[in-house]
C-alpha cells in the first residue's frame, strides 16, 4: 500500500515538473533527503525579509543610524554574523550583511542556517590577553 502511494507521489511530482518546465533533479534530491530524515542546511546562512513594508538597511545596528537602502519583502541576503544591540519589538539581535558593513534588525528576518555571534566570527588579537582581562566593560 505504501509503495503504491509513494509511486503516485513520484508520478505527480514528475507531471508537475514537466508541466512547469522544471527539472526532476531538485525533486529527487529533496525526496532523498526527506526519506533519510535529514534537513538541508546551507553552508552560509542567509535571511529572508518578513516585513511587508520592507526592511531598512542601516550603517550601524541601531534605529538612530542612517538608512542606506531598503530591502523589499521576501528579499534574500547573506548574513555574516549577529550581535546584541538595540531591542526591536522584543528582539535584541541585529545581523551584519555578508559582503558589506551594513546591518538589519533580526526582528524582521527569517534566518536560514546558523548565524554565529560576530565575536566568534571576527576575533581580535586582544581576546584572552591579560590586558583585555584586566580592562573594564
Amino acid at each position: 500500500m505504501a509503495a503504491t502511494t509513494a509511486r503516485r507521489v513520484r508520478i505527480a511530482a514528475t507531471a508537475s515538473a514537466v508541466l512547469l518546465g522544471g527539472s526532476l533533479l531538485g525533486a529527487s534530491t529533496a525526496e532523498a533527503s526527506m526519506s533519510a530524515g535529514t534537513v538541508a542546511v546551507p553552508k552560509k546562512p542567509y535571511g529572508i525579509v518578513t516585513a511587508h513594508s520592507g526592511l531598512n538597511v542601516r550603517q550601524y545596528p541601531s534605529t538612530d543610524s542612517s538608512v542606506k537602502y531598503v530591502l523589499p519583502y521576501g528579499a534574500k541576503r547573506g548574513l555574516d554574523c549577529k550581535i546584541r544591540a538595540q531591542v526591536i519589538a522584543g528582539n535584541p539581535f541585529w545581523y551584519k550583511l555578508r559582503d558589506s558593513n551594513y546591518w538589519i534588525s533580526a526582528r524582521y528576518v527569517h534566518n536560514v542556517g546558523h548565524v554565529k555571534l560576530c565575536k566568534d566570527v571576527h576575533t581580535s588579537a586582544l581576546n584572552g590577553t591579560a590586558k583585555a582581562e584586566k580592562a573594564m566593560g
Side-chain angles (χ1 to χ4, degrees), residues 6 25 64 76 108 133:
L25 183 59
D64 290 336
K76 293 181 183 180
Y108 302 105
E133 294 295 324

Side-chain angles (χ1 to χ4, degrees), residues 14 19 30 35 39-42 46 57-58 62 68-69 80 102 117 122 130:
T14 302
L19 288 172
S35 64
V39 176
V41 177
Y46 65 92
V57 177
R58 297 188 177 271
S62 167
K68 294 302 180 181
Y69 56 94
D80 182 34
Y102 297 144
L117 290 171
H122 306 287

Side-chain angles (χ1 to χ4, degrees), residues 9-100:
V9 168
R10 283 194 299 275
I11 291 170
T14 302
S16 296
V18 170
L19 288 172
L20 296 174
S23 167
L24 292 178
L25 183 59
S28 62
T29 304
E31 185 178 315
S33 63
M34 285 172 47
S35 64
T38 60
V39 176
V41 177
K43 290 182 181 181
K44 293 184 177 183
Y46 65 92
I48 303 169
V49 175
T50 61
H52 288 281
S53 59
L55 179 60
N56 289 327
V57 177
R58 297 188 177 271
Q59 185 168 4
Y60 302 107
S62 167
T63 57
D64 290 336
S65 178
S66 62
V67 175
K68 294 302 180 181
Y69 56 94
V70 177
L71 291 173
Y73 172 78
K76 293 181 183 180
R77 290 296 183 272
L79 304 175
D80 182 34
C81 60
K82 66 182 176 183
I83 64 167
R84 287 182 184 91
Q86 181 183 10
V87 178
I88 306 295
N91 190 324
F93 290 103
W94 286 72
Y95 295 128
K96 182 179 174 292
L97 295 175
R98 193 179 322 135
D99 302 325
S100 84

